[in-house]
Amino acid sequence: MKSKGIFFLCLAANVLNAQVLSPNTNLTAREEQIIAATKPGAAPHFNGAMVVDVRPGTPFLHSLAVSGERPMSFTADNLPAGLSLDSKTGIIIGSLKSAGEYRFKAAAKNSAGKTEAEIKIICGDKLALTPPMGWNSYDAFGDSVIESEVLANAAWLKEQLQPLGWDTVVIDFRWYDRLADGVRVQNPEGVTIDESGRCVPPTNRFPSAVPLCGSAGFKPLADKIHALGLKFGIHIMRGIPRQAVEQNLPIAGSKFTAAQAVLPEGDTNRTCVWNRDMFGVDAATEAGRAWYASIARQYADWGVDYIKCDDIANLQRGKFYDAAEIEALSTSLKNSGRSIVLSLSPGATPVNAGPHVKQFANLWRISGDFWDNWPSLDHNFGLFAAWYDDGGPGHWPDGDMIPFGHICQRNCDVHPDRWTRFTRDEQLTLMSLWALAPSPLMLGMNLPDNDDWTTAILSNPEVLALNQDSLGRAARRMTGPPQVVETWMKELADGSFAVGFFNRTAQPVKVNFPWRNLGFLSAPEVRDLWLRQDL
């Protein structure tokens, strides 16, 4: 390792059994400094990933991530043919016909100044070249989110976080249930399907889904999200709706019916132990593959950019890892005519499935459902260490959604409605670990309720830059148990390194750590990223 050059330092600690603090109360001096450090300056500044991905011949959407005062104007030199930039919004759309690597220089200007950045577009087979960053509805709304709540969170994300690189909005869990209210027990009786057995959004929850000609589905809502420069995602369950099988409905675009696609009775993978909406699909058959092809075309027609598929990569069922269904869904999405990122859930994905899962999925859960308690966060240190060899551009071990801020307003699975139980030190620990890992960053809170602290720890451009670093190198745990303080180290694309010191005990500890233990021959230049200060 080189002994000179910028050396990023990420400090975090855990405090067990500390009082859970309400928004903006009892802030320490350091916490006030962390908030102040994330206040954006007036002049424009580029943030987020500097590498963008898309498949050839599919719709391209990228919103330049630039902080600073608005109004702001945008320009681009050498933008590839087929793409166009909106000079007022910084949104780039279009399509690239040929695979390849394209570079262009983007510029942003306002009354306080001008800045430039080189952005690389890689057009090819790989998506999610950096970990996805966005919002997911589940932690706040369970299975009951409605269209107005999705749009409110999307608007907040656009205004507050998109300038830092956050760009995805995901509707989770059972959006197809017209009876869902976040309270009642899950029951297939409310599932809404079309004439081909595919789930569609109920219009009592998503009014824009009212069909004018044909089936509108989520396309009107996706169009609204895309107009903000954001990407749109949905959650799905593995398999085919029970109703489609019981009625033996035809599979769109094929000669098969639902009953021919389903796994046989008695197969341990036919039913999900915690959700009764679907039957598993026999992806070894042509009918099973036709089913996945049909829903992939539907999602592409709606304008979906991100799929979170559930009950497909965990240890809770007879066949702990559905390789055939994963391959069928992955292949269908690749052939859908749209660049759709694939996320697998719920976890824990078996580590020995690493070679397969990173070939067919862009991200996969490393744990069961993750909530706002220290044991869950503490457990993820070992999980990220176990997945060290499998992460990288296009395939990311996923620590799950981030349950900060106001969560569980309507979530029948986890009670009660509350502010996060994570202490502020634990929140810094999570964001530092997820940035170093690096893990996808998907927010679970109701964003419009965020306080200054929550917004600040989601808005630190230097911490987020670790997560979005183009090298995509996973952090290595350099020291762990029985040492009191763990040291994690991550190599960055510019040749510098990020280091996190983590105290996983209940007591404060003093750290005396020689730089030579990390391979440095002399003291490097050091920066505290949370305070954004050179040390």
Side-chain angles (χ1 to χ4, degrees):
M1 298 179 185
K2 61 186 188 180
S3 60
K4 294 295 181 183
I6 299 297
F7 188 87
F8 296 97
L9 180 65
C10 209
L11 295 173
N14 165 56
V15 179
L16 286 177
N17 302 318
Q19 179 184 6
V20 178
L21 300 176
S22 58
N24 293 329
T25 60
N26 303 323
L27 290 162
T28 67
R30 178 175 170 82
E31 290 164 354
E32 294 277 13
Q33 289 177 304
I34 288 172
I35 293 175
T38 61
K39 299 295 184 183
H45 185 273
F46 275 91
N47 304 295
M50 294 296 126
V51 58
V52 186
D53 47 71
V54 70
R55 289 197 173 106
T58 67
F60 180 92
L61 171 67
H62 178 68
S63 192
L64 297 175
V66 187
S67 55
E69 288 184 354
R70 265 55 177 177
M72 188 179 293
S73 61
F74 302 87
T75 58
D77 291 336
N78 297 319
L79 195 64
L83 303 184
S84 62
L85 168 69
D86 187 315
S87 62
K88 294 182 179 179
T89 65
I91 299 172
I92 302 173
I93 61 172
S95 178
L96 294 172
K97 292 183 178 180
S98 304
E101 185 175 302
Y102 305 85
R103 296 175 185 266
F104 69 95
K105 182 174 288 185
K109 182 179 180 181
N110 64 12
S111 60
K114 180 180 180 179
T115 188
E116 297 180 341
E118 184 178 79
I119 297 177
K120 178 167 62 175
I121 301 173
I122 297 181
C123 182
D125 289 335
K126 275 191 176 182
L127 301 178
L129 296 180
T130 58
M133 297 172 60
W135 173 81
N136 180 294
S137 64
Y138 180 71
D139 284 0
F141 302 107
D143 66 356
S144 67
V145 73
I146 60 176
E147 183 166 347
S148 60
E149 291 165 335
V150 174
L151 290 172
N153 278 273
W156 197 96
L157 183 79
K158 169 63 176 178
E159 181 179 353
Q160 300 290 334
L161 296 182
Q162 187 281 322
L164 283 303
W166 302 83
D167 68 354
T168 302
V169 172
V170 180
I171 299 175
D172 206 283
F173 199 50
R174 308 191 75 245
W175 46 263
Y176 44 73
D177 184 356
R178 61 184 173 81
L179 300 177
D181 58 9
V183 177
R184 66 187 274 275
V185 176
Q186 301 163 22
N187 195 313
E189 66 184 6
V191 172
T192 54
I193 59 175
D194 65 12
E195 66 280 0
S196 298
R198 299 174 296 188
C199 291
V200 293
T203 55
N204 64 318
R205 293 175 57 190
F206 300 96
S208 68
V210 173
L212 299 176
C213 181
S215 178
F218 270 130
K219 188 176 189 312
L221 180 54
D223 288 346
K224 294 177 184 178
I225 302 296
H226 292 153
L228 296 173
L230 304 175
K231 297 178 181 179
F232 176 68
I234 59 173
H235 170 285
I236 65 172
M237 289 295 297
R238 169 186 69 92
I240 187 169
R242 286 170 176 257
Q243 295 177 30
V245 176
E246 291 163 358
Q247 299 174 38
N248 198 22
L249 295 176
I251 296 174
S254 80
K255 61 184 179 181
F256 302 104
T257 64
Q260 294 173 292
V262 72
L263 285 167
E265 292 186 22
D267 190 299
T268 56
N269 238 22
R270 179 178 167 95
T271 59
C272 173
V273 298
W274 49 267
N275 183 282
R276 299 178 56 248
D277 296 339
M278 308 288 174
F279 283 135
V281 162
D282 187 352
T285 66
E286 192 176 351
R289 293 190 294 272
W291 166 255
Y292 276 114
S294 74
I295 62 172
R297 289 192 298 270
Q298 178 191 53
Y299 303 149
D301 290 343
W302 285 351
V304 173
D305 307 294
Y306 182 106
I307 291 293
K308 175 185 174 183
C309 184
D310 218 333
D311 190 47
I312 201 165
N314 64 320
L315 292 165
Q316 298 176 5
R317 291 175 293 104
K319 295 179 181 177
F320 60 82
Y321 182 80
D322 282 315
E325 283 198 78
I326 290 170
E327 290 181 26
L329 176 58
S330 176
T331 300
S332 296
L333 293 176
K334 289 178 181 178
N335 295 332
S336 69
R338 192 169 184 89
S339 297
I340 302 178
V341 169
L342 177 58
S343 165
L344 302 184
S345 185
T349 304
V351 175
N352 62 9
H356 183 271
V357 72
K358 70 181 184 181
Q359 179 181 356
F360 290 99
N362 301 113
L363 50 148
W364 58 91
R365 287 270 297 282
I366 63 174
S367 71
D369 283 0
F370 177 85
W371 285 101
D372 51 330
N373 61 80
W374 172 250
S376 293
L377 176 52
D378 190 47
H379 182 54
N380 265 17
F381 279 86
L383 296 178
F384 278 123
W387 282 101
Y388 169 77
D389 291 324
D390 293 289
H395 40 89
W396 308 103
D398 180 9
D400 200 8
M401 292 169 289
I402 300 173
F404 292 172
H406 188 188
I407 57 175
C408 296
Q409 289 92 317
R410 297 193 309 279
N411 191 318
C412 64
D413 294 330
V414 181
H415 296 290
D417 181 351
R418 63 182 180 271
W419 199 259
T420 183
R421 291 171 176 147
F422 277 134
T423 67
R424 294 192 186 114
D425 282 332
E426 289 167 351
Q427 291 173 57
L428 290 176
T429 298
L430 187 154
M431 287 301 295
S432 300
L433 181 61
W434 264 235
L436 285 164
S439 172
L441 301 177
M442 300 302 292
L443 303 174
M445 73 289 284
N446 185 42
L447 292 173
D449 293 342
N450 277 3
D451 63 333
D452 291 344
W453 168 260
T454 306
T455 301
I457 60 174
L458 307 178
S459 305
N460 185 308
E462 297 182 31
V463 174
L464 296 176
L466 300 186
N467 181 271
Q468 296 292 292
D469 185 70
S470 62
L471 185 62
R473 190 66 54 82
R476 179 186 295 274
R477 182 160 64 180
M478 309 298 291
T479 63
Q483 287 85 355
V484 173
V485 174
E486 285 195 9
T487 305
W488 290 61
M489 189 169 184
K490 174 181 170 68
E491 183 181 358
L492 303 175
D494 65 359
S496 57
F497 296 85
V499 171
F501 295 119
F502 294 96
N503 171 17
R504 294 173 62 185
T505 76
Q507 301 299 325
V509 294
K510 184 176 182 178
V511 180
N512 184 6
F513 195 89
W515 294 119
R516 64 178 177 274
N517 288 7
L518 294 178
F520 288 86
L521 302 179
S522 60
E525 299 175 12
V526 180
R527 183 170 178 83
D528 184 327
L529 296 189
W530 282 113
L531 295 183
R532 303 183 70 189
Q533 291 179 358
D534 294 333
L535 303 179

